[in-house]
Amino acid sequence: MNRYFIHFQYDGTNYHGWQIQPNGITVQEELQRALSTVLRQHIEVVGAGRTDTGVHARHMVAHFDLNDLLEPSQLVYKLNRLLPRDITVYKVEPVSDDMHARFSATSRTYHYYICARKDAFSRQYAWQIHWQLDFDKMNEAAQMLIGEKDFASFCKVGSDVKTTMCNLTHARWVKDLPPTPFSDDGDYWHFEITANRFLRNMVRAVVGTLIEVGRGRMTLRQFQDVIDTKSRSAAGESVPACGLFLEKIEY
């Protein structure tokens, strides 16, 4: 049996997340359908994680097993002819049998994008807000997240996980260049966050709580209390899915 990693990206706007489910079309379903068609046998893929409805991925990884050897570049070409335009495969590579798309990953990076104005071109890929935010204060709060901690306060209630411990290595807000010449420099920002693993809804809950700090509705001490309390009700609201991108997975 030969194992392959498939590297791809997708616009999550039209999908009910990554994982196959009965109530809507998913990225996993589309990828498995295309692979099964090209390889002329039923193929199941295992993803590096799962993204929720409307969340995007610039770099997602999945693995699948196949008895036969294949030509990776030809498979990439054929898959991209079959897949919808909002899913793109850019690499297929053979890996050792003990490599696992999910469990072998050492880190994952997400970006969350916000736009401080109404913008017709970013509405599907950034959360449009209308408040003045203190990004220096938000970055101070973000540093409190660094380290191996219990992130239960930022985990969706009812999630089926054995532990809410995560090792977070990077968290900061970064100012972006405007996407069009008609935009102002100060209107676009994104939040970068890297950890060994993420809990369900974690990034969106973290961003929502940092926004509370930026709006002056939560002090740095209160933000620390949110982490220490380990209660989802103590944290801020989850922000919309449209601004969230799975940016990179490391092995």
Side-chain angles (χ1 to χ4, degrees), residues 54-56 58 109-115 123 125-129 135 138 172-174 176 188-193 203-208 210-211 237-247:
V55 175
H56 317 290
R58 283 199 177 91
T109 297
Y110 282 88
H111 287 182
Y112 190 88
Y113 293 83
I114 64 172
C115 172
R123 67 191 187 282
Y125 309 108
W127 181 29
Q128 296 183 2
I129 64 172
F135 287 97
M138 291 159 69
R172 68 168 181 168
W173 286 93
V174 177
D176 286 327
Y188 300 87
W189 291 75
H190 75 266
F191 179 61
E192 302 174 346
I193 185 168
V203 179
R204 292 162 62 191
V206 166
V207 172
L210 290 172
I211 292 290
E237 294 183 3
S238 293
V239 292
C242 61
L244 184 57
F245 286 74
L246 174 56
E247 195 72 20

Side-chain angles (χ1 to χ4, degrees), residues 164-180:
T164 50
M165 296 294 295
C166 304
N167 185 14
L168 203 149
T169 56
H170 177 78
R172 68 168 181 168
W173 286 93
V174 177
K175 187 177 179 180
D176 286 327
L177 293 174
T180 72

Side-chain angles (χ1 to χ4, degrees), residues 56-114:
H56 317 290
R58 283 199 177 91
H59 180 210
M60 179 61 154
V61 180
H63 77 249
F64 65 95
D65 296 323
L66 192 68
N67 286 320
D68 305 320
L69 292 173
L70 56 79
E71 172 51 51
S73 61
Q74 282 296 311
L75 180 59
V76 170
Y77 171 77
K78 291 177 180 178
L79 287 175
N80 282 327
R81 286 180 62 87
L82 273 179
L83 286 164
R85 295 178 67 182
D86 49 11
I87 302 175
T88 301
V89 173
Y90 55 89
K91 183 167 72 169
V92 174
E93 59 177 341
V95 296
S96 60
D97 293 344
D98 60 349
M99 286 293 288
H100 192 284
R102 178 183 176 189
F103 298 123
S104 298
T106 57
S107 72
R108 297 161 173 84
T109 297
Y110 282 88
H111 287 182
Y112 190 88
Y113 293 83
I114 64 172

Side-chain angles (χ1 to χ4, degrees), residues 145-216:
L145 299 166
I146 301 297
E148 189 168 6
K149 303 177 187 292
D150 190 333
F151 286 90
S153 293
F154 306 104
C155 180
K156 187 172 183 177
V157 175
S159 295
D160 183 19
V161 291
K162 294 181 179 179
T163 177
T164 50
M165 296 294 295
C166 304
N167 185 14
L168 203 149
T169 56
H170 177 78
R172 68 168 181 168
W173 286 93
V174 177
K175 187 177 179 180
D176 286 327
L177 293 174
T180 72
F182 307 105
S183 306
D184 294 328
D185 285 347
D187 290 338
Y188 300 87
W189 291 75
H190 75 266
F191 179 61
E192 302 174 346
I193 185 168
T194 302
N196 65 327
R197 64 190 292 264
F198 285 92
L199 307 171
R200 189 173 182 190
N201 210 232
M202 177 174 160
V203 179
R204 292 162 62 191
V206 166
V207 172
T209 311
L210 290 172
I211 292 290
E212 292 295 290
V213 174
R215 295 180 67 185

